[in-house]
Amino acid sequence: MKKISPIQQIHHPLFNQHKLRVYIKRDDLLHPIISGNKWRKLKYNLQTAIKANKKTILSFGGSYSNHIHALAFACHQQGLNSIGIIRGEPEYANNFTLSWAQHWGMKLIFVDRKIYRKRQQSQYIAQLQQEFLHSVIVPEGGSNALALPGVSEINDEIKQQGINYDHLMLPVGSGGTLAGLISGDNNQHNLIGIAVLKQGQKTPDYLTTAVKNLLPQQAKHFTNWQILNDYHCGGYAKFSPDDLTRLQAFMKVTKLPFEPVYSGKMILALLDLIAQAYFQKGETIMLLHTGGLQGLGGLAERNIINPLEWPLLPVPTAR
Ligand SMILES: *Cc1c(COP(=O)(O)O)cnc(C)c1O
């Protein structure tokens, strides 16, 4: 996909009041169904696999994973096979996310939590590699060194699109996307990552460490980035009715689609930071819409959100 995602200015009374200009890079529009940062992170992982003559990509995810959803489509599009090691029970196979994954030909292997926990252990990976000899194994979320150059293309695109900005804001899960933006930004802007999960008390700063570990040598000394930890709304995929109401109100004013697991938490953080006068008058903020709207299907299916109030994607037609 050569198409570059558009940038739009967002209008909201709060922005005027604080004399801020806010733009959004719409990576949710990279494709009608597959979107966002997972796509960016997979680009060079897949290219490298194809060059090495590999036929199959294997990766890991939860049963509503944006990464699994994107991987299945990307492999289908590139003529590769895909295998998903899924945390959970086989009955999840018919959920929104995994129906799409199977629609694009992904083979699903369900494992319990205990096995899933081993997904980064070298012994388990070696065992999988033995079992699936000709596969390339990509980590959960697609966050590895090969993910970074794909993400850095966002920095280049924004430059090419000619918009100057002071801050670049994005939601952070595993940190691969932030790491890619740090390496592509080359110390030019203030990068603000919003942690969407609650870090344990024993490991309060593991995300910062995870990002640093992913960075290439020349980017390790950059200090123009930070991860804010107060906007996870209770933890990964957690949010209150009030959080949903505030996000809905923002969506209504701006006519932009968000979901409450990733991009929505970035929006709530933005509103709070503006109210706290975190930004200076006259500054420009660039938001990265990381996509993930497919996740709304699973939330609606489980009655966690009201399907009538959110921009749901279509359910896959029979295979
Ligand atoms: C996975 C994901 C993120 C987090 O990206 P990381 O690279 O894991 O930090 C943000 N937004 C969406 C929509 C995602 O699916």
Side-chain angles (χ1 to χ4, degrees):
M1 241 174 339
K2 282 277 180 329
K3 193 180 90 173
I4 76 172
S5 66
I7 296 175
Q8 269 171 255
Q9 188 170 359
I10 313 182
H11 300 280
H12 189 282
L14 192 68
F15 305 162
N16 297 341
Q17 205 182 315
H18 291 261
K19 307 243 178 318
L20 296 168
R21 210 188 291 261
V22 180
Y23 291 93
I24 188 161
K25 170 85 170 150
R26 299 283 310 272
D27 265 16
D28 57 313
L29 295 179
L30 282 173
H31 180 273
I33 292 168
I34 295 299
S35 73
N37 63 338
K38 297 304 184 294
W39 187 254
R40 301 268 191 187
K41 290 197 281 186
L42 284 169
K43 179 172 175 185
Y44 292 102
N45 273 293
L46 267 52
Q47 270 190 24
T48 306
I50 291 167
K51 274 197 197 132
N53 226 348
K54 302 287 186 184
K55 303 279 180 264
T56 305
I57 311 283
L58 179 149
S59 194
F60 311 86
S63 42
Y64 297 95
S65 161
N66 290 333
H67 166 63
I68 287 294
H69 182 258
L71 178 67
F73 178 78
C75 287
H76 168 76
Q77 195 210 34
Q78 306 277 324
L80 291 161
N81 304 313
S82 61
I83 302 173
I85 307 277
I86 310 296
R87 180 187 57 221
E89 304 295 324
E91 66 234 37
Y92 286 124
N94 298 319
N95 79 17
F96 181 88
T97 302
L98 298 180
S99 307
W100 271 117
Q102 292 174 97
H103 179 80
W104 293 310
M106 181 179 267
K107 178 181 153 76
L108 303 178
I109 298 171
F110 290 91
V111 299
D112 62 26
R113 284 173 181 275
K114 207 171 135 208
I115 295 177
Y116 193 80
R117 220 173 285 137
K118 297 198 289 189
R119 66 196 176 279
Q120 287 168 338
Q121 290 176 11
S122 47
Q123 204 186 344
Y124 177 59
I125 299 289
Q127 181 195 325
L128 284 172
Q129 195 67 77
Q130 272 299 316
E131 192 175 342
F132 302 99
L133 267 183
H134 303 289
S135 304
V136 171
I137 300 180
V138 170
E140 180 183 52
S143 290
N144 56 10
L146 281 173
L148 272 58
V151 173
S152 303
E153 291 178 355
I154 296 172
N155 306 82
D156 302 337
E157 286 180 17
I158 301 177
K159 199 168 190 180
Q160 199 183 322
Q161 287 164 302
I163 293 170
N164 293 318
Y165 58 101
D166 302 289
H167 308 274
L168 175 60
M169 228 171 128
L170 70 150
V172 174
S174 66
T177 307
L178 177 56
L181 293 172
I182 294 167
S183 64
D185 187 68
N186 219 1
N187 227 345
Q188 300 295 300
H189 304 93
N190 182 37
L191 311 184
I192 308 167
I194 304 302
V196 302
L197 42 82
K198 187 158 62 179
Q199 300 180 72
Q201 277 175 346
K202 279 192 215 142
T203 51
D205 229 16
Y206 87 87
L207 265 181
T208 301
T209 308
V211 171
K212 279 188 188 151
N213 288 340
L214 279 166
L215 288 176
Q217 208 52 44
Q218 76 273 14
K220 282 201 198 287
H221 70 276
F222 291 157
T223 52
N224 60 317
W225 61 276
Q226 60 196 300
I227 297 176
L228 302 184
N229 287 305
D230 293 333
Y231 301 99
H232 54 69
C233 303
Y236 182 70
K238 300 219 165 91
F239 35 81
S240 68
D242 180 56
D243 295 329
L244 293 184
T245 307
R246 289 196 300 146
L247 183 55
Q248 283 283 344
F250 187 82
M251 285 167 56
K252 203 164 261 169
V253 172
T254 60
K255 301 191 173 57
L256 290 167
F258 295 102
E259 45 70 44
V261 179
Y262 291 102
S263 57
K265 289 189 182 176
M266 166 184 72
I267 294 301
L268 297 180
L270 171 73
L271 298 176
D272 272 18
L273 290 170
I274 292 176
Q276 292 164 29
Y278 175 95
F279 303 103
Q280 314 248 320
K281 270 189 193 142
E283 285 188 325
T284 301
I285 303 156
M286 179 69 69
L287 306 175
L288 177 64
H289 196 314
T290 46
L293 296 170
Q294 74 84 24
L296 291 168
L299 294 173
E301 203 169 69
R302 286 171 287 166
N303 295 317
I304 297 172
I305 58 168
N306 177 348
L308 302 175
E309 292 174 349
W310 299 84
L312 295 192
L313 297 174
V315 173
T317 49
R319 275 170 287 149

